[in-house]
Amino acid sequence: MTAPLVSYRSDSDSDNDTKSQVHPEKVDPDALAHLQPLKSGRTMSLAVLNSAPEVAVKAVETGVHLDPSLKEVTYNPTYETMFAPEFGPVNPYTSQQMAAPRNMLSGYAEPAHVNNFMFEQQRRTFSTFGYALDPSVDTSQNSSNSYIGAVDEAEKKKGLTVFEVGPKKTDKRKKVQGGEANDIDNYLGPWAKYVDEKDGAKPSEDEQKELDEITAKRQKKGRNEEEAPAEEKTILHVKDAYDYQGRSYLHVPQDVGINLRTADIPDKCYLPKKQIHVWSGHTKGVSAIRLFPVSGHLLLSCSMDCKIKLWEVYNERRCVRTFIGHSKAVRDICFNNTGTQYMSAAYDRYLKLWDTETGQCISRFTNRKVPYCVKFNPDEDKQNLFVAGMSDKKIVQWDVRTGEVVQEYDRHLGAVNTITFVDENRRFVSTSDDKSLRVWEWDIPVDFKYIAEPSMHSMPAVTLSPNGKWLACQSMDNQILIFGAQNRFRLNKKKIFKGHMVAGYACQVDFSPDMSYVVSGDADGKLNIWDWKTTKLYHRIKAHDKVCISALWHPHETSKVITCGWDGQIKLWD
């Protein structure tokens, strides 16, 4: 049986048709043609349009599943029927535990009407005293059966919880009236004496000594040994201090084949190949070596054995004199312009001025801090002034004549390691443990140039080139950095010398007199020689058994290099 499609129309559709017929002029008939239902007056056969097979609608029970083998469905099944389980509604494979009613993953938890505070109170009481109220028993009657755990303890404490056991504050803080003690028997207060304590007992000698040391430390007077400087003395190792003409060893020799009196430099320098002499006399590592000004015919060395020695560089190469006067290791030494005097800095916190010829200690300087480096002002009219880099971050300037501090340069953030005069001695450059480089005008305590980059490391050894244009800085990242020593103090990125291991040691750098080579020791005791132009590592010599701390190229020789190390030896290479 076919039903006309008109029967599916709603009343609203018929109303719309009526309205459209009443007012045909308001709506364009072509615009609504596709929305108009099919009328019975149309010539097309409705039987052709309604070609769907007749379907009988059945009342289907919810939960009944469809047969999976069925290929044709003769009724309209509901959603529940179509998606019902194949075996069901009860899964026959469910275990008894899984089939049991559950309100959580592990099973069924009955609602418990317990206050959070009550639960925590009973838990803490049980963990402290070993008993708690039994939750399955009516707790209105405080009997022994209402507790679990240590029932005897519960009866003894009358079932008190942890929150009720402590005494009341009013009981704790009873005031003592009439000078009598409180309720605790034999309690005399927090300042009472011990039972075996004696009145007015004098400390024994050992106890008194300890007390004196403690008191002295508190008053910062515990440096009795350091307060008094070590006694100075000198030992002359040569037979005669003066020759037949009355000349001392400071006189420049003229029979060595070269003119040492002038500041002439050799035209061309060559690489040293072999060791030609060893100066041995220090019992501990050598800290620094300095050549006699201008001539370089004498060598001054300071050591960790607290001694300073003067050696001949030519002829017999003897040890001329030993200077003894420091109580701790000597850190640095520096000649004045003529070489007649030199300054020494040691870890005993003293700077001492010595006479090179007689060995006499002329004067002593200290500010109770360790001096790390010392330099005379190279100007001829300022030979009475010297500066020292101290462990307390300051650079201190002394006047030799008065023995007083005349200036302090206090801008560094770490101990000052080096001081180097540049720009015709009008300025000096200092490096520090704060990984910075600062440039100062002489006698002006504010640095006018501050160089510090995040990539920079500490530079504990700095040397000025013979032509005065460059500063060679031994950096703690195993590099020698070159800074311009004129005007802007820029880092020369094309001149970086690498290839040696020096981290942790202040190995002194030096130049050959003709600026052809750069030399430096390293932590392995090797002498490294680089070409200045190409920065290529040309030569490496195993010089010392321990750290090679300093290397000096003789200013008048083409290939003589002097090295010193922590093995206590000083060696000459040619």
Side-chain angles (χ1 to χ4, degrees), residues 20 56 152 168 173 216 218 237 243-244 316 369 408 468 500:
S20 61
D152 298 338
K168 295 179 182 177
R173 300 180 182 178
R218 285 180 180 170
H237 298 285
D243 62 3
Y244 69 99
E316 297 178 41
K369 297 293 183 293
E408 278 190 355
H500 62 316

Side-chain angles (χ1 to χ4, degrees), residues 470-486:
W470 306 101
L471 283 169
C473 305
Q474 187 78 262
S475 179
M476 286 293 94
D477 56 351
N478 301 319
Q479 295 183 131
I480 296 174
L481 304 178
I482 305 296
F483 287 88
Q486 297 169 330

Side-chain angles (χ1 to χ4, degrees), residues 55 537 562:
V55 177
L537 181 59
I562 304 167

Side-chain angles (χ1 to χ4, degrees), residues 79-96:
Y79 176 85
E80 289 80 4
T81 305
M82 292 175 66
F83 289 95
E86 188 174 343
F87 299 99
V90 179
N91 186 356
Y93 304 108
T94 307
S95 64
Q96 185 178 0

Side-chain angles (χ1 to χ4, degrees), residues 286-511:
V286 181
S287 306
I289 50 176
R290 299 285 183 268
L291 284 167
F292 196 83
V294 183
S295 65
H297 73 287
L298 294 173
L299 177 71
L300 190 68
S301 66
C302 63
S303 170
M304 299 175 194
D305 61 5
C306 313
K307 296 176 183 176
I308 303 165
K309 288 181 180 287
L310 190 66
W311 315 81
E312 289 178 334
V313 176
Y314 295 98
N315 298 327
E316 297 178 41
R317 299 193 175 103
R318 300 168 295 178
C319 178
V320 179
R321 190 182 283 278
T322 300
F323 305 84
I324 303 169
H326 286 288
S327 59
K328 290 188 179 178
V330 186
R331 167 83 184 217
D332 196 19
I333 44 179
C334 180
F335 277 112
N336 65 358
N337 282 5
T338 57
T340 55
Q341 296 175 351
Y342 72 89
M343 186 70 66
S344 64
Y347 283 101
D348 60 2
R349 296 181 168 86
Y350 274 92
L351 294 133
K352 295 192 177 184
L353 182 65
W354 302 82
D355 188 293
T356 315
E357 185 176 334
T358 63
Q360 178 190 357
C361 180
I362 301 168
S363 52
R364 309 167 195 87
F365 310 88
T366 183
N367 69 342
R368 312 306 317 146
K369 297 293 183 293
V370 177
Y372 281 174
C373 57
V374 61
K375 279 283 193 303
F376 273 102
N377 187 313
D379 273 352
E380 289 297 336
D381 59 340
K382 295 188 181 72
Q383 284 291 286
N384 59 302
L385 299 172
F386 72 91
V387 283
M390 313 301 288
S391 59
D392 65 343
K393 313 170 192 175
K394 294 180 182 178
I395 300 171
V396 185
Q397 180 180 322
W398 269 279
D399 192 327
V400 170
R401 298 170 297 188
T402 62
E404 294 179 356
V405 175
V406 294
Q407 187 63 271
E408 278 190 355
Y409 306 83
D410 185 11
R411 301 279 285 179
H412 274 294
L413 305 174
V416 182
N417 291 321
T418 67
I419 296 171
T420 311
F421 282 87
V422 297
D423 195 16
E424 296 179 353
N425 310 320
R426 289 192 295 263
R427 301 168 177 170
F428 64 91
V429 177
S430 63
T431 62
S432 163
D433 284 344
D434 61 8
K435 304 180 184 178
S436 72
L437 184 146
R438 294 175 191 259
V439 189
W440 314 76
E441 295 276 357
W442 176 256
D443 218 16
I444 297 176
V446 179
D447 51 319
F448 80 89
K449 187 79 173 177
Y450 169 65
I451 301 169
E453 295 290 337
S455 59
M456 279 176 62
H457 288 66
S458 179
M459 296 180 292
V462 178
T463 303
L464 183 68
S465 65
N467 60 13
K469 292 182 179 179
W470 306 101
L471 283 169
C473 305
Q474 187 78 262
S475 179
M476 286 293 94
D477 56 351
N478 301 319
Q479 295 183 131
I480 296 174
L481 304 178
I482 305 296
F483 287 88
Q486 297 169 330
N487 299 327
R488 306 196 63 177
F489 296 91
R490 276 188 175 178
L491 174 66
N492 189 339
K493 295 183 179 178
K494 293 182 180 178
K495 292 251 188 287
I496 296 177
F497 301 90
K498 302 177 183 178
H500 62 316
M501 183 65 70
V502 78
Y505 301 96
C507 297
Q508 194 66 43
V509 191
D510 201 17
F511 295 85

